[in-house]
Amino acid sequence: MLYHVRMDVNLPQDMPAEQANEIKAVEKAYSQELQQQGKWRHIWRITGQYSNISIFDVESNEELHNLLQGLPLYPYMNIEVMPLNQHPSSIREDDR
């Protein structure tokens, strides 16, 4: 199942830079592992914001929920999830 996920990150202003950098490093490693597994298909930065738009390819709502909760930045995120279905007018069989 494909999902369009928007993630807006809101780190506390008073969070020490060292702590923020450590969380971001762990987040990067986690997200890259999910990308290598094919579960996190695409990630794009939203220009001018600490936000991204991502495409996930997972088996279920529950799997996506668990992956998102595993993000180290999860406690500091607002997340919007939209399940995607192939449009009947699409000329493609897949999501290329």
Side-chain angles (χ1 to χ4, degrees):
M1 297 176 67
L2 293 178
Y3 296 86
H4 170 280
V5 180
R6 179 183 173 132
M7 294 177 246
D8 300 312
V9 181
N10 302 295
L11 292 176
Q13 294 291 330
D14 60 348
M15 178 180 282
E18 184 176 303
Q19 180 184 0
N21 290 336
E22 183 177 329
I23 293 171
K24 291 175 195 177
V26 175
E27 176 97 5
K28 183 176 182 177
Y30 179 72
S31 71
Q32 289 179 342
E33 175 62 29
L34 292 175
Q35 290 173 66
Q36 290 170 352
Q37 293 174 17
K39 294 178 184 291
W40 196 325
R41 298 284 297 273
H42 302 280
I43 182 170
W44 294 277
R45 177 179 287 160
I46 300 174
T47 303
Q49 299 178 32
Y50 194 179
S51 302
N52 74 72
I53 298 291
S54 295
I55 302 295
F56 284 83
D57 188 358
V58 295
E59 293 297 318
S60 66
N61 293 333
E62 184 177 3
E63 182 181 11
L64 179 63
H65 182 76
N66 291 335
L67 293 177
L68 294 174
Q69 281 194 317
L71 292 166
L73 288 171
Y74 180 81
Y76 310 105
M77 289 182 172
N78 293 323
I79 298 175
E80 293 180 22
V81 176
M82 289 184 278
L84 301 174
N85 294 293
Q86 185 170 8
H87 194 282
S89 297
S90 176
I91 62 169
R92 304 210 188 297
E93 297 280 328
D94 58 23
D95 66 339
R96 288 181 286 132

